[in-house]
Amino acid sequence: MTDATLRVEFAAQPAAIRVRGYWGTVGRRLRYDYVTLFFLAVILMIVFAAIAAPLIAPFDPNKTSMAFRLKPIGFRDFRLGTDELGRDMLSRLIWGGRMSLLMGLVPVVVATAIGGTLGVIAGFVGGKLNMLIMRTMDIFYAFPSVLLAIAISGMMGGGMYNGLIALSMVFIPPLCRIAETATTQVRHLDFVEAARASGASSGSIILHHVVGNVLAPVLIYASSLISVSVLLSAGLSFLGLGVEPPTPDWGLMLSTLRQAIYVQPLVCALPGAAIFITSLSFNLVSDGLRHAMDVRI
Amino acid sequence: MTSSCWHAEFKKLMWAYAGRRIIYAVPIAIGVTVICFGLVFLAPGDPMVNLLPPDASPADAAYLRKLYGFDQPVPVQYAKWLLRAVTGDLGTSLQTGRPVISEVGRALSNTIVISLGAVLLAFSLAFVLGTLAGYYAGRPADRALTAVSVVGVSVPNYWLGMVLIIVFSVELGVLPATGMGSAGSDTFSLFNWEQAKYAILPVITLSMVPLGIIMRNTRAAIAEVLANDFVQTLRAKGLPETMVIRHAVRNAFPQVLAVMGLQFGYLVGGSILIETIFTWPGTGFLLSKAILTRDIPVLQGAILVLAMCFVATNLAVDLLQTAIDPRIRRA
């Protein structure tokens, strides 16, 4: 082999093997995961409808009409019928998406911030503080999540804010545990030791080395909780906790329409179908993300 | 080492583990009582007023304040409350005037009936389907079955309950929509069709979430076992596939059984929405009534009992799993 051909081969090498970064791989996997893409599109549509509710809802969601109570699907201009007070179901479903998405997302975001921070602190500091934080979380684990949410909001009384607080409380322990496990694993790795040896402060180690490694499992787990949160918050509204009437909310609509299942069964099933589609979409997108990001929890 | 000696050693380890696990449950249980005690302080208003019927006289209030120790520091109040709770005194219902413990006790047995039914139904279905999915991992059959399990965990089961009522009670008229039948909870028997038919829809509805979760776990466990080297050995020595599956099932079984136990615990504590839909007189229905009427003593008592049941179930599952699967030795 001559020197010239060798040089050519070396030059050709980088072109032949294109190294794809982590996010490149994740993006590529997602691009070919049609199920995840489809349900992502569904979520985006629901989000869009919720944001643009005033523009796209055909009627005022709170305008009642005694004459048009409990009309079937397709009755005149009421494409999805009317509810027990004669309000347009389609408009209420579109507006209701706002509340349901809010109640689904906010508790998860709050719990991720609080639980994640607590978990990182517990994992990084270790020792007695870890004991204190994690054993406290264990106690909250001793309640089934539905029961804990109902216990807190049932005691505090109804209302959106109490519902949000209750759900956030429910999600803090699992997120804390995930963050703590991930942090404990990272803490003793060589690169953290190296950073410490080179004089980095705890704060900067956490910021630069720990958070990056903890974020993926925490965010993936949090994304799987959105579906739970949508289901639970609608359940709270269904029980009369959470959102208060006449605010359009899927759980609340399901609860008030329950009395009318003998009259208009199909119309009464609609809010539940909306909850189902939303929860299913978030679940599948979360699964797809987990798969694409190759995170094991 | 002889085999009997090994056995004795193993037994000793098991008992040590069981002892540790039981001791570990004690602080958790105490923590649960602290939270349940603290719940009353979450309720707006004077905790004393919350525990009294609205028509109570000031003399009654003063008497109860003294009795419950509400004039003393919080830790003393907690100690007094705990002492009473341990002896079974959880206060009196504001609505019915009956002791909370008897109300909760009656309801609990009804909840256990449908929870047990649901978890057994879910398990028998999910174990078969999950095994199939795990065996065909990655193939179309697996995808279809996985879709079923995702639907199971995503469906709002309170809505599913309504849909089932619409289909089977309103449209077809074959099953009763709500309640527990004329017999009531005292003489209820699952072996009498006239009564058992009231439990069918609640049981099916409740079984959806555990179905999805148990299926997912079974699939993962079976797929994991099948990826082991010994499976290749089994196939290499010419074992028929049915026997290979049997090996996988035997290995995965204890793990899935534990998941089933946990799901049972979740159902007992979390059947509130389903019981409300079907007006099934269990603890969940009791809770939802208590929320509506702001019956704080019932709320607190029921939550305490249910959480304790959950702690006990977790403990039992852990011990049982260690007993049947010697590979597990968690610290």
Side-chain angles (χ1 to χ4, degrees):
Chain A
M1 210 184 288
T2 62
D3 205 42
T5 50
L6 244 184
R7 207 173 300 130
V8 170
E9 270 178 17
F10 261 107
Q13 209 76 342
I17 306 169
R18 262 202 14 239
V19 178
R20 206 179 286 125
Y22 173 68
W23 290 109
T25 315
V26 170
R28 215 182 116 82
R29 282 189 195 139
L30 278 180
R31 212 162 47 239
Y32 292 102
D33 188 348
Y34 299 115
V35 176
T36 305
L37 286 181
F38 174 77
F39 283 99
L40 191 65
V42 173
I43 291 178
L44 290 178
M45 263 165 57
I46 297 169
V47 171
F48 171 76
I51 294 172
L55 300 174
I56 57 173
F59 292 95
D60 176 359
N62 291 322
K63 189 177 175 303
T64 59
S65 153
M66 291 312 271
F68 295 133
R69 287 191 320 186
L70 288 170
K71 291 298 172 199
I73 290 172
F75 178 82
R76 294 202 195 166
D77 288 339
F78 305 114
R79 266 170 238 154
L80 293 177
T82 59
D83 72 358
E84 78 287 353
L85 294 175
R87 297 172 291 198
D88 178 45
M89 278 300 282
L90 180 60
S91 307
R92 282 186 77 72
L93 283 172
I94 292 172
W95 278 88
R98 287 191 159 192
M99 218 20 117
S100 301
L101 285 177
L102 187 80
M103 297 283 285
L105 290 170
V106 172
V108 176
V109 172
V110 172
T112 306
I114 298 177
T117 310
L118 279 175
V120 169
I121 292 173
F124 195 78
V125 177
K128 287 210 173 96
L129 192 64
N130 180 302
M131 270 289 269
L132 182 73
I133 294 176
M134 297 321 289
R135 293 299 84 81
T136 312
M137 293 298 155
D138 282 354
I139 293 168
F140 282 94
Y141 255 100
F143 291 85
S145 50
V146 183
L147 185 68
L148 186 59
I150 285 165
I152 297 171
S153 59
M155 282 294 177
M156 292 197 299
M160 190 184 83
Y161 289 106
N162 288 349
L164 288 177
I165 293 172
L167 287 174
S168 307
M169 294 276 288
V170 169
F171 296 139
I172 288 174
L175 283 164
C176 178
R177 201 178 260 191
I178 299 265
E180 192 257 356
T181 311
T183 310
T184 311
Q185 278 167 4
V186 172
R187 189 167 72 119
H188 297 296
L189 293 183
D190 289 344
F191 65 86
V192 175
E193 291 296 320
R196 205 189 300 276
S198 60
S201 67
S202 291
S204 85
I205 292 178
I206 290 182
L207 205 65
H208 294 293
H209 299 293
V210 175
V211 169
N213 284 290
V214 172
L215 217 53
V218 168
L219 286 186
I220 289 290
Y221 190 78
S223 75
S224 76
L225 285 180
I226 297 175
S227 151
V228 181
S229 185
V230 168
L231 285 180
L232 265 181
S233 66
L236 285 183
S237 306
F238 187 82
L239 284 174
L241 303 163
V243 182
E244 281 160 339
T247 316
D249 170 83
W250 295 337
L252 196 62
M253 288 163 73
L254 198 60
S255 158
T256 50
L257 280 168
R258 194 156 69 93
Q259 320 300 331
I261 53 171
Y262 293 93
V263 189
Q264 283 299 345
L266 268 182
V267 173
C268 299
L270 284 175
I275 301 170
F276 178 37
I277 292 168
T278 311
S279 144
L280 184 73
S281 305
F282 275 114
N283 235 331
L284 285 168
V285 170
S286 165
D287 277 359
L289 274 180
R290 176 185 308 201
H291 188 72
M293 289 171 72
D294 199 18
V295 174
R296 278 191 137 224
I297 299 176
Chain B
M1 211 189 311
T2 62
S3 104
S4 71
C5 176
W6 177 85
H7 196 76
E9 190 71 11
F10 174 66
K11 256 192 167 161
K12 229 166 76 187
L13 269 174
M14 282 280 299
W15 281 111
Y17 172 76
R20 263 208 317 277
R21 185 62 185 78
I22 291 169
I23 291 170
Y24 178 69
V26 171
I28 301 263
I30 294 175
V32 167
T33 62
V34 171
I35 290 181
C36 287
F37 171 73
L39 279 176
V40 174
F41 295 93
L42 281 181
D46 183 357
M48 186 65 234
V49 175
N50 286 327
L51 292 171
L52 276 174
D55 56 346
S57 69
D60 287 344
Y63 171 72
L64 235 84
R65 195 178 293 273
K66 189 120 188 100
L67 183 72
Y68 281 20
F70 273 121
D71 48 355
Q72 282 162 318
V74 175
V76 179
Q77 289 179 33
Y78 168 71
K80 286 196 162 189
W81 174 83
L82 186 63
L83 264 179
R84 278 183 290 113
V86 170
T87 53
D89 176 10
L90 295 174
T92 321
S93 164
L94 302 185
Q95 290 299 312
T96 61
R98 282 200 294 264
V100 171
I101 190 81
S102 72
E103 299 252 326
V104 176
R106 281 166 69 112
L108 190 61
S109 63
N110 291 338
T111 297
I112 288 175
V113 167
I114 52 168
S115 302
L116 207 58
V119 89
L120 289 176
L121 173 72
F123 178 74
S124 42
L125 254 174
F127 196 74
V128 175
L129 296 180
T131 304
L132 282 177
Y135 185 73
Y136 292 112
R139 286 193 252 168
D142 169 38
R143 280 161 191 253
L145 288 168
T146 305
V148 173
S149 78
V150 175
V151 168
V153 293
S154 308
V155 71
N157 51 12
Y158 38 95
W159 172 69
L160 182 74
M162 277 173 67
V163 172
L164 289 177
I165 292 178
I166 290 172
V167 174
F168 290 98
S169 309
V170 181
E171 300 292 332
L172 299 175
V174 288
L175 287 169
T178 55
M180 215 178 171
S182 54
S185 58
D186 290 328
T187 56
F188 184 80
S189 157
L190 273 182
F191 302 103
N192 180 341
W193 169 246
E194 274 311 305
Q195 294 167 21
K197 66 181 181 183
Y198 284 90
I200 290 178
L201 291 184
V203 164
I204 293 176
T205 312
L206 266 184
S207 69
M208 285 314 281
V209 176
L211 178 77
I213 292 173
I214 297 174
M215 239 175 100
R216 221 181 242 193
N217 278 284
T218 312
R219 180 197 174 279
I222 294 280
E224 201 185 311
V225 175
L226 286 176
N228 274 329
D229 285 343
F230 81 85
V231 175
Q232 207 172 1
T233 313
L234 293 179
R235 286 188 174 135
K237 74 173 189 181
L239 213 62
E241 281 301 288
T242 47
M243 294 298 284
V244 173
I245 294 180
R246 239 176 79 176
H247 272 91
V249 166
R250 267 194 75 126
N251 271 282
F253 194 71
Q255 196 182 333
V256 179
L257 205 65
V259 176
M260 180 183 97
L262 287 184
Q263 287 303 310
F264 173 68
Y266 277 114
L267 286 191
V268 169
S271 59
I272 170 162
L273 288 156
I274 305 304
E275 288 182 7
T276 310
I277 298 261
F278 290 103
T279 51
W280 183 264
T283 41
F285 187 54
L286 187 73
L287 271 176
S288 90
K289 269 194 306 186
I291 288 170
L292 273 180
T293 56
R294 297 218 50 80
D295 194 338
I296 302 287
V298 172
L299 210 54
Q300 187 189 30
I303 291 166
L304 177 67
V305 171
L306 289 177
M308 283 302 173
C309 284
F310 192 59
V311 174
T313 318
N314 281 349
L315 179 63
V317 166
D318 247 26
L319 294 179
L320 212 83
Q321 200 188 6
T322 329
I324 57 175
D325 189 349
R327 287 171 302 185
I328 295 163
R329 221 159 287 155
R330 280 169 292 180

